[in-house]
Amino acid sequence: MEKVLRIESSNSFKSVVALALCVGAIHFNLVFILFTLFFLPLSKSLLVFALMILFVVIPVNKNSLLGQKLSSYFPITLHLEDAEAFHPNQSYVFGYEPHSIFPFGIFALHDNVGFMPISKIRFLVSSMSFYIPFLRQVWTWLGFTSVEKKILISLLESGQSCIIVPGGIRETLFMEHDSENVFLKERRGFVRIAIEMGHPLVPIFCFGQTNTYKWWKVSTKLVHNLTRFIKINPIIFWGILGSHIPFKNPLYVVVGRPIHVKKNPKPTTEQVTKVHSEFVEALRDLFQKHKAKAGCTNLELKIV
C-alpha cells in the first residue's frame, strides 16, 4: 500500500536559523581561524585555538529539537512505496541518495518517522564532522551520529534503523548539472553489514535536492585525494543572495521496498556483490518509476 505525505514549506525564522547553523558551521570555523591568524596577537590566537579544542571534547546535549525545524523549510513530498512491507519490530539499513551539497531530504524522514511503521531511526554522517568545533555540536543536536562500523552495528543491535548516504561526501566530486550521479560502485560496506546482521536494505531517492544550491567545483586528482583524506569536499556553493540559506526547491523523497537478506556472519565477496547489485537496481528502478511524478522527466541517473 502506497502512502504519500505532502509537507508545505514555512517561512519560519527558526527554520532559516536552523539551516544557517547546519550548513554554515564549517565556513564559520574557516573564517574564524583566518581572522584569528591574521588579526589577533599570538597570545590571544593560542587562547582562541584552545577554546576551539575545548568545543571538540566537551559533552553535547543530544536532546535538541533543532532537526525538527529544518524539514518545514522546503515543500516536501514523502512517498512510501509500500507501507505494509515494513515491520515495527525490525531494524532497517536505509541507503539514501543522492548526497548533493547537503542531503536535506533526510529531515522529512526525521520529523515524520511515524509515517513509516518504524519506531526509531538515526542518521549516520562522516566521522570527521565530529572533530570540527561548533559543527560537532550542531550535528549532534540534529540527531546525527558518526558513520563508523562499530556505531552502525551497535545501533542496529539496539533495535534502531539507520539512514546512511553510501556515496558520502565523495559523491559531490561527480556532481553534474544535467544529471544525478550516484557514487555507488565502490560502496559495499553497508551491504556487507546488512548481510552480516540480517537486516533488510531500503533504497531512498530524493529528487530536487541537487538544485537547492548553485555550485561550482574543480575536478582534479588532487581534489579527489584531498576529499578522501579530510572527508570534506572543497566545493563552492551558494544559495539565496549568495548565502548558505538554500533555495526553496521542492523535494520529492521516495522510500522503496525493503530488500530482505539472509543473515550470514561471514558473507563472501560474491554474495556481497550480488546483494549490492540488487540494491543498485532497486535504486535505479525507484528513480525511473518516480522521476516524472517528481517533475524530473528529462533527468538521467548515472551510477559511478
Side-chain angles (χ1 to χ4, degrees), residues 101 177 210-216 235-239 247:
I101 299 298
H177 289 94
T210 303
N211 296 323
T212 55
Y213 285 108
K214 295 184 183 299
W215 48 270
W216 179 83
I235 188 171
I236 298 173
F237 65 92
W238 62 94
F247 299 104

Side-chain angles (χ1 to χ4, degrees), residues 90-294:
Q90 173 70 61
S91 298
Y92 298 87
V93 179
F94 291 89
Y96 177 101
E97 292 290 353
H99 185 284
S100 307
I101 299 298
F102 193 91
F104 288 115
I106 60 177
F107 294 114
L109 301 168
H110 180 279
D111 281 357
N112 301 287
V113 67
F115 184 66
M116 297 183 287
I118 297 173
S119 56
K120 297 179 181 179
I121 194 166
R122 293 295 297 274
F123 309 126
L124 278 69
V125 299
S126 171
S127 57
M128 184 61 67
S129 306
F130 295 92
Y131 295 97
I132 300 176
F134 312 118
L135 182 66
R136 168 178 174 263
Q137 279 74 18
V138 171
W139 283 21
T140 300
W141 295 337
L142 290 171
F144 293 172
T145 191
S146 176
V147 66
E148 298 177 25
K149 180 178 179 179
K150 62 180 181 180
I151 293 179
L152 173 57
I153 292 174
S154 176
L155 290 172
L156 292 171
E157 287 178 339
S158 68
Q160 299 186 66
S161 294
C162 297
I163 298 179
I164 63 174
V165 184
I169 193 66
R170 282 189 65 194
E171 193 167 274
T172 58
L173 295 171
F174 303 94
M175 287 174 61
E176 296 179 356
H177 289 94
D178 56 353
S179 68
E180 290 286 7
N181 295 353
V182 174
F183 180 56
L184 261 181
K185 288 184 178 180
E186 299 179 14
R187 300 299 201 183
R188 303 188 181 189
F190 72 107
V191 175
R192 180 175 292 276
I193 292 175
I195 297 174
E196 289 175 349
M197 303 188 66
H199 293 289
L201 288 159
V202 184
I204 302 177
F205 198 91
C206 179
F207 294 93
Q209 184 176 265
T210 303
N211 296 323
T212 55
Y213 285 108
K214 295 184 183 299
W215 48 270
W216 179 83
K217 65 184 178 71
V218 177
S219 296
T220 65
K221 186 176 181 180
L222 176 62
V223 172
H224 277 249
N225 292 334
L226 182 64
T227 301
R228 295 184 66 175
F229 178 71
I230 66 173
K231 308 297 183 183
I232 297 174
N233 185 15
I235 188 171
I236 298 173
F237 65 92
W238 62 94
I240 295 176
L241 299 176
S243 72
H244 295 114
I245 306 302
F247 299 104
K248 281 195 173 184
N249 195 64
L251 305 182
Y252 196 100
V253 182
V254 188
V255 181
R257 294 178 175 84
I259 302 170
H260 293 277
V261 298
K262 184 177 180 180
K263 184 176 181 179
N264 183 353
K266 295 183 178 180
T268 64
T269 301
E270 291 74 17
Q271 290 170 328
V272 173
T273 299
K274 181 178 181 297
V275 176
H276 179 268
S277 297
E278 291 179 18
F279 179 85
V280 171
E281 286 307 310
L283 186 72
R284 197 190 304 273
D285 291 344
L286 203 66
F287 178 88
Q288 294 297 338
K289 182 178 178 180
H290 294 278
K291 67 177 186 178
K293 298 176 186 176

